[in-house]
């Protein structure tokens, strides 16, 4: 993990403790990007910074439900960074404005598999709402010096009493129920009926006594691994990529019996955005630029939405990050596809109870 990323996490945490709703990094005040902490790094938008002399202003959210609540309460950024499971909810709530793809450089190079995901990039009438940017996994991540491989072949290990107080879970309802769905044998969570929902929540309640940390951002999780507080985590690709690069024995396990979860995140334009369209589309073009692909793959361990950029990355770099064979990458996976609003609301309510020990 870079010192910059650690510093960003500390700045955001300080702002939250000071009583603000969101941490923010101010730069070009005429464009506001509502994002996950860490994505303000200039390497994600070099062409924008080069053209305008600075990065946009970033304000951060811990998860998409928090972001949704703030925007429905009246906060209007220019651009935001939701993931696949939230796009429909945001669009149906009237938060999004359609995208003019003729103004996004390289839009035709978006990976076809991402473009074709149902009701994500575009609606049936052809209107485009979402620019895919990053994609990857939430998967079992562990301290190889402390955990025996035979003990973590199944995702049910998260509920094994031998890991009591040694587990970290994302404080994120989507990732939590992706784990629970996989653990009970579901690859399509949109088909979760009442019986399967009860089974999934029962599994998460079994995991809860083992949880030392419900982490809010990757910095917090990295510090817990680095400090020896945890041995096992349900985490994004970034954690094993950055910590192993620092020489720590943190690895991702992609071959558990039940599989892993795959998500796609990207950028949207908000209805009521006050920034000039030129700056909005300059930013969207900048994050979609092929040269950004190598940075996101090698430094963060995620895939990039631009297929031309992915093809330009040396094969050895793709292999090292697990993207050498995209078909294999998405094999045995649960896609975090958009959820029915009623089911998502049930998940949110139950997740809050589970974290509180009920």
């Amino acid at each position: 993990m870079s010192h910059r990323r650690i510093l960003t996490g500390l700045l955001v945490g300080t702002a939250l403790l000071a009583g603000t709703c969101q941490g923010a990094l101010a730069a070009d005040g005429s464009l506001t990007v509502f994002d996950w902490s860490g994505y303000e790094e200039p390497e994600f938008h070099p062409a924008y910074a080069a053209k305008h002399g600075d990065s946009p202003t970033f304000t951060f959210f811990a998860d998409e439900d928090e972001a949704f609540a703030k925007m429905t309460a009246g906060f209007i950024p220019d651009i935001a960074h939701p993931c696949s499971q939230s796009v429909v909810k945001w669009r149906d709530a009237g938060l999004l404005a359609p995208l003019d793809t003729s103004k996004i450089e390289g839009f035709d190079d978006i990976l076809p598999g991402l473009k074709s995901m149902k009701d994500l990039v575009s609606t049936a009438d052809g209107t485009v709402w979402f620019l895919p940017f990053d994609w990857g996994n939430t998967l079992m991540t562990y301290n190889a010096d402390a955990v025996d491989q035979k003990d973590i072949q199944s995702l049910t290990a998260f509920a094994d009493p031998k890991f009591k107080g040694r587990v970290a879970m994302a404080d994120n309802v989507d990732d939590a129920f992706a784990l629970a769905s996989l653990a009970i044998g579901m690859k399509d969570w949109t088909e979760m009926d009442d019986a399967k929902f009860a089974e999934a929540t029962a599994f998460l309640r079994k995991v809860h006594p083992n949880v030392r940390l419900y982490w809010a951002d990757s910095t917090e999780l990295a510090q817990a691994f680095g400090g020896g507080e945890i041995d096992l985590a349900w985490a994004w690709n970034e954690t094993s990529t950055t910590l192993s690069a620092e020489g720590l024995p943190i690895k991702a396990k992609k071959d558990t019996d039940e599989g892993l979860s795959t998500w796609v995140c990207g950028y949207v334009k908000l209805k009521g955005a006050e920034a000039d369209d030129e700056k909005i589309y300059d930013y969207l073009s900048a994050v979609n630029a092929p040269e950004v692909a190598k940075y996101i793959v090698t430094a963060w361990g995620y895939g990039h939405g631009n297929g031309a950029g992915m093809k330009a990355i040396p094969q050895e770099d793709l292999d090292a990050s697990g993207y050498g064979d995209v078909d294999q990458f998405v094999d045995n996976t649960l896609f975090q596809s958009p959820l029915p609003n009623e089911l998502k609301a049930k998940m949110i309510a139950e997740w809050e109870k589970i974290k509180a020990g009920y």
Side-chain angles (χ1 to χ4, degrees):
M1 178 172 295
S2 69
H3 292 300
R4 176 179 173 79
R5 208 171 300 168
I6 292 172
L7 175 61
T8 297
L10 292 174
L11 286 171
V12 173
T14 300
L16 290 171
L17 288 172
T20 59
C21 290
Q22 302 292 342
L25 293 181
D28 179 354
S30 62
L31 181 68
T32 299
V33 181
F34 199 22
D35 217 325
W36 306 87
S37 175
Y39 284 89
E40 75 284 355
E41 292 189 2
E43 292 88 348
F44 285 126
H45 52 268
Y48 183 93
K51 179 175 180 178
H52 296 285
D54 210 342
S55 295
T57 289
F58 285 86
T59 185
F60 304 108
F61 54 83
D63 63 44
E64 291 144 287
D65 296 311
E66 174 194 330
F68 180 80
K70 185 169 184 181
M71 290 188 294
T72 53
F75 174 60
I76 305 176
D78 301 305
I79 295 171
H81 189 174
C83 298
S84 48
Q85 66 276 16
S86 295
V87 173
V88 172
K89 177 181 177 180
W90 290 22
R91 190 179 66 229
D92 288 351
L95 296 176
L96 307 186
L99 296 174
D100 182 347
T101 60
S102 70
K103 297 179 179 179
I104 303 174
E105 294 179 18
F107 184 81
D108 289 342
D109 293 326
I110 296 296
L111 287 164
L114 302 185
K115 275 188 177 179
S116 64
M117 289 183 72
K118 184 180 178 181
D119 211 21
L120 180 61
V121 172
S122 59
T123 41
D125 62 2
T127 304
V128 174
W129 303 88
F130 178 78
L131 174 68
F133 173 61
D134 51 330
W135 53 282
N137 298 129
T138 309
L139 72 174
M140 181 180 281
T141 306
Y142 65 100
N143 182 335
D145 286 352
V147 175
D148 192 319
Q149 284 271 340
K150 68 179 176 60
D151 292 331
I152 57 170
Q153 186 55 43
S154 170
L155 293 179
T156 58
F158 283 101
D160 190 327
K162 74 174 56 179
F163 292 112
K164 186 173 183 178
R166 307 296 297 171
V167 167
M169 287 276 291
D171 189 2
N172 180 302
V173 66
D174 299 306
D175 282 330
F177 274 90
L179 169 61
S181 298
L182 287 164
I184 65 172
M186 295 193 74
K187 291 294 193 297
D188 184 352
W189 64 1
T190 66
E191 296 181 355
M192 185 177 288
D193 57 19
D194 289 345
K196 286 295 185 181
F197 182 78
E199 192 177 347
T201 55
F203 173 77
L204 292 175
R205 284 189 166 87
K206 290 180 182 178
V207 174
H208 178 73
N210 289 355
V211 176
R212 181 180 180 86
L213 170 70
Y214 286 106
W215 56 274
D217 60 52
S218 297
T219 298
E220 187 178 13
L221 177 60
Q223 290 171 341
F225 263 129
E229 297 178 51
I230 59 169
D231 297 324
L232 196 62
W234 184 239
W236 305 325
N237 307 67
E238 176 196 353
T239 297
S240 58
T241 299
T242 55
L243 293 184
S244 61
E246 292 181 4
L248 295 177
I250 309 304
K251 296 184 178 181
K253 186 169 179 61
K254 299 184 177 182
D255 62 348
T256 59
D257 293 339
E258 300 88 354
L260 38 70
S261 179
T262 299
W263 44 261
V264 181
C265 301
Y267 286 98
V268 294
K269 177 183 177 184
L270 277 300
K271 185 181 292 185
E274 295 183 354
D276 290 340
D277 258 12
E278 179 184 359
K279 285 197 169 184
I280 289 174
Y281 285 104
D282 281 347
Y283 187 80
L284 295 177
S285 295
V287 297
N288 190 48
E291 60 266 25
V292 174
K294 184 173 183 180
Y295 177 70
I296 196 169
V297 169
T298 58
W300 283 57
Y302 299 155
H304 189 234
N306 189 301
M310 293 292 287
K311 287 180 182 178
I313 299 172
Q315 188 64 39
E316 58 268 27
D317 290 334
L318 289 173
D319 291 341
S321 298
Y323 294 91
D325 184 336
V326 174
D327 290 335
Q328 184 181 34
F329 181 93
V330 299
D331 187 39
N332 200 24
T333 193
L334 177 147
F335 281 99
Q336 291 192 20
S337 54
L339 285 164
N341 289 338
E342 183 180 352
L343 176 58
K344 181 64 179 288
K346 285 174 59 178
M347 288 179 173
I348 292 170
E350 205 66 18
W351 179 232
E352 292 304 316
K353 294 178 185 177
I354 292 167
K355 289 187 297 176
Y358 297 104

